[in-house]
Amino acid sequence: MKKRTNYLLHYLILIILAIVVLYPILYIFSIALMTPQEIDSYPPPFLPSRFYIENLKLAMTTVPIIKFIMNSFVVSTGVMVGQLITASMAAYAFSNIQFKGRNLLFAIFLSTMMIPWEVTIIPNYLTIKAWGWMDTYQGLMVPFMATAFGIFLLRQFFLQLSKELFEAAKMDGGGHIRIFFSIVLPLSRPAIGTLGVYSFLTTWNMYLWPLLVTNQETMRTVQIGVTMLQWAEFMSWNLVSAGITIVLLPSLILLVLGLKQLVRGITAGAVKG
């Protein structure tokens, strides 16, 4: 009886915490489907009386939000692929190739994680402007295609792979390229999936950098597009919530699809030293 009571109490606490965490998102979805009269009423209702989709239609016609989503998708995918390529290759070098100064170089890489990203904004902006990359996809993507966190994450995972596999591959005549593509990458899917989901969502939610390097409306991303749904004269919460709902859907779908890999990557001890 006591065990059953603890079991129920455990899940009751989890349900309450889940509601607290999900409440802002659920309420945003609810507001997006409310009529203007329901929003102006006091106290405001928690659920809409009916599915009022005019807010979603108005949000999609007020600003080119589909274009913003496509821009964010291209930029986020490019950054994700770039980080996976650079981080996996660098992590393999730091974990499986012996060269002079390897540990010192890796320590220097790690030390860059201590530098706030805001410190690098001005140098990166001046570089992008000097190269003529304003209002371009490469200007949005290139500064984020390599990350010390990704190298650290994958290196720690690569170190846990069985050394016997590498020795067997070397005895079979395999070089580093063959070992990297035939052994390391297939066995590291949980860590690679974790880094991929993390980098995609981080880039998707980025606001300041796209605001700095884009001036044309056609190159704006979704986070900036949402702010274009509000005006200085008044605020339409229905419209803003509808825009946020549309913007959240792709990232939520990716999170659901990648949640298994994300959990496997964490539980596999990818961040152990």
Side-chain angles (χ1 to χ4, degrees):
M1 184 64 182
K2 183 178 179 181
K3 184 177 180 181
R4 182 180 177 84
T5 303
N6 292 334
Y7 182 80
L8 293 175
L9 183 63
H10 176 76
Y11 274 89
L12 179 62
I13 294 173
L14 289 179
I15 291 173
I16 293 174
L17 292 176
I19 292 174
V20 171
V21 172
L22 294 177
Y23 174 76
I25 298 176
L26 296 177
Y27 195 56
I28 285 292
F29 289 166
S30 179
I31 293 176
L33 298 174
M34 289 183 185
T35 63
Q37 292 76 20
E38 288 175 321
I39 281 292
D40 294 335
S41 63
Y42 184 82
F46 179 72
L47 296 175
S49 59
R50 59 189 176 92
F51 287 102
Y52 183 74
I53 61 173
E54 294 301 319
N55 296 323
L56 300 175
K57 293 180 180 178
L58 184 59
M60 296 179 70
T61 55
T62 303
V63 297
I65 201 163
I66 300 300
K67 177 62 177 176
F68 297 156
I69 291 176
M70 289 302 301
N71 288 341
S72 286
F73 184 79
V74 171
V75 174
S76 300
T77 303
V79 171
M80 178 184 70
V81 173
Q83 286 194 12
L84 291 179
I85 293 174
T86 57
S88 60
M89 296 180 74
Y92 179 83
F94 282 125
S95 59
N96 292 293
I97 298 178
Q98 296 292 338
F99 58 91
K100 189 175 181 180
R102 185 182 71 168
N103 293 332
L104 176 62
L105 186 60
F106 182 65
I108 294 174
F109 263 89
L110 284 186
S111 65
T112 61
M113 295 173 62
M114 303 297 110
I115 302 174
W117 179 78
E118 288 77 7
V119 176
T120 64
I121 287 181
I122 299 302
N124 283 336
Y125 174 78
L126 295 176
T127 303
I128 294 300
K129 187 177 180 180
W131 289 353
W133 282 4
M134 300 291 287
D135 291 314
T136 61
Y137 285 126
Q138 59 265 35
L140 290 166
M141 293 188 293
V142 169
F144 305 96
M145 282 188 165
T147 167
F149 170 74
I151 296 172
F152 171 72
L153 178 72
L154 295 186
R155 175 187 176 271
Q156 300 308 104
F157 195 91
F158 291 172
L159 288 174
Q160 299 179 45
L161 299 178
S162 174
K163 298 299 180 187
E164 287 75 12
L165 288 174
F166 297 103
E167 295 174 0
K170 290 178 182 177
M171 291 178 65
D172 195 38
H176 286 298
I177 295 178
R178 180 181 171 187
I179 293 174
F180 178 69
F181 286 104
S182 302
I183 298 176
V184 174
L185 291 185
L187 293 177
S188 305
R189 282 181 296 178
I192 292 174
T194 301
L195 180 60
V197 173
Y198 173 79
S199 60
F200 187 94
L201 294 179
T202 302
T203 309
W204 184 274
N205 294 321
M206 197 178 295
Y207 177 78
L208 183 57
W209 182 252
L211 183 65
L212 284 174
V213 300
T214 59
N215 296 312
Q216 300 177 9
E217 185 176 285
T218 54
M219 288 304 299
R220 296 291 196 185
T221 56
V222 289
Q223 303 303 329
I224 303 173
V226 170
T227 63
M228 296 169 66
L229 293 172
Q230 57 185 355
W231 295 271
E233 294 81 7
F234 69 97
M235 172 78 77
S236 174
W237 288 110
N238 306 61
L239 194 59
V240 174
S241 300
I244 294 173
T245 300
I246 296 172
V247 167
L248 278 178
L249 286 179
S251 56
L252 287 178
I253 292 173
L254 177 68
L255 183 62
V256 171
L257 295 177
L259 188 60
K260 184 178 179 181
Q261 292 291 343
L262 192 64
V263 173
R264 287 181 60 189
I266 295 173
T267 55
V271 296
K272 289 183 178 178

